[in-house]
Amino acid sequence: MKLNAQQLERVANLFRAFAEPTRLAIVQELKADEMSVSDIVGCLSTSQANVSKQLKLLHDAGLVSRRKQGTQVLYRIADPMVFELCRIACDKLNRDAVRPAKLKF
Amino acid sequence: MKLNAQQLERVANLFRAFAEPTRLAIVQELKADEMSVSDIVGCLSTSQANVSKQLKLLHDAGLVSRRKQGTQVLYRIADPMVFELCRIACDKLNRDAVRPAKLKF
DNA sequence: TCACCATATAGCCAGATAGTTATCCTTGCA
DNA sequence: TGCAAGGATAACTATCTGGCTATATGGTGA
């Protein structure tokens, strides 16, 4: 069974969400815990505006969920497939590495 | 264990290879069999130059391998993780779909 | 009501890249 | 040797988007 153009586009959009280091960094921070936007900003070296923007993109892709708590918004990974994809990607990079230095998400 | 900036970049690059419909279409054609460039071109609606370009990108990412046979170059999927990633992505899209229409790569 | 904090959004710019056309390189064969 | 076919590459363009600054929105406490 082959996917048509529209379905391929949807798959591509999903992967595109993972195709940027900043978004991966956000995902990595969220791996352990739910976090507020400002907490995430504190962990990364980019602006609050950019973190919000990338979180929106991740949310639109269905990869993170949010809930409000007072003035804060707490984000978390919405789907375990996120971890699965990251693990598979790291496994491949570890396999391909000439000098192994075990990546683990 | 957290990935550093360079490692995140490498993971992002890997996902980026999957983040374009044309490349996914190529991967999809290669799912069953090894194929020549012109065979692939015949299945898709884009130019030979573009197929070569995208194949090079997939090859650089370690996702496809090539071997020459006469004047032809035959490409195949180099790593089963390709299928695994595609399956996980399709599974998610199927789960998220309001009206299920089972995607399967 | 006001000041303040957390988050989201708007508008802009620079860099990246998918796709095109044209051209080059390589191989096999007459 | 020459030519034709299969692939790769170059150069260019249009589009997309990550990141920035500035601003808007919304909740909280005094």
Side-chain angles (χ1 to χ4, degrees), chain B residues 8-19:
Chain B
L8 289 173
E9 188 71 52
R10 287 169 57 209
V11 176
N13 282 340
L14 182 57
F15 283 120
R16 194 171 294 124
F18 290 91

Side-chain angles (χ1 to χ4, degrees), chain A residues 92 96, chain B residues 14 57-65 77-79 82:
Chain A
K92 168 156 190 64
D96 290 356
Chain B
L14 182 57
L57 201 150
L58 291 169
H59 186 261
D60 289 349
L63 302 179
V64 303
S65 60
I77 302 295
D79 193 319
V82 170

Side-chain angles (χ1 to χ4, degrees), chain A residues 3-21:
Chain A
L3 275 58
N4 63 33
Q6 184 199 331
Q7 294 167 325
L8 288 173
E9 188 73 53
R10 288 169 57 209
V11 176
N13 282 340
L14 182 57
F15 282 120
R16 195 170 293 124
F18 290 91
E20 212 62 27

Side-chain angles (χ1 to χ4, degrees), chain B residues 18-101:
Chain B
F18 290 91
E20 212 61 27
T22 298
R23 286 192 291 273
L24 291 176
I26 291 174
V27 165
Q28 184 168 239
E29 294 303 328
L30 293 177
K31 177 175 181 181
D33 279 317
E34 189 175 53
M35 286 176 80
S36 72
V37 176
S38 54
D39 285 344
I40 298 171
V41 172
C43 294
L44 308 184
S45 48
T46 186
S47 65
Q48 176 267 318
N50 193 33
V51 170
S52 267
K53 185 172 174 177
Q54 304 309 329
L55 281 168
K56 173 176 167 51
L57 201 150
L58 291 169
H59 186 261
D60 289 349
L63 302 179
V64 303
S65 60
R66 61 177 147 221
R67 70 186 181 92
K68 293 196 158 194
Q69 191 180 58
T71 69
Q72 301 196 121
V73 178
L74 302 179
Y75 282 86
R76 63 163 46 184
I77 302 295
D79 193 319
M81 67 81 77
V82 170
F83 302 122
E84 207 176 346
L85 283 191
C86 289
R87 184 185 50 73
I88 293 171
C90 283
D91 284 353
K92 167 155 189 66
L93 293 177
N94 284 325
R95 278 199 304 281
D96 290 356
V98 176
R99 164 200 280 284

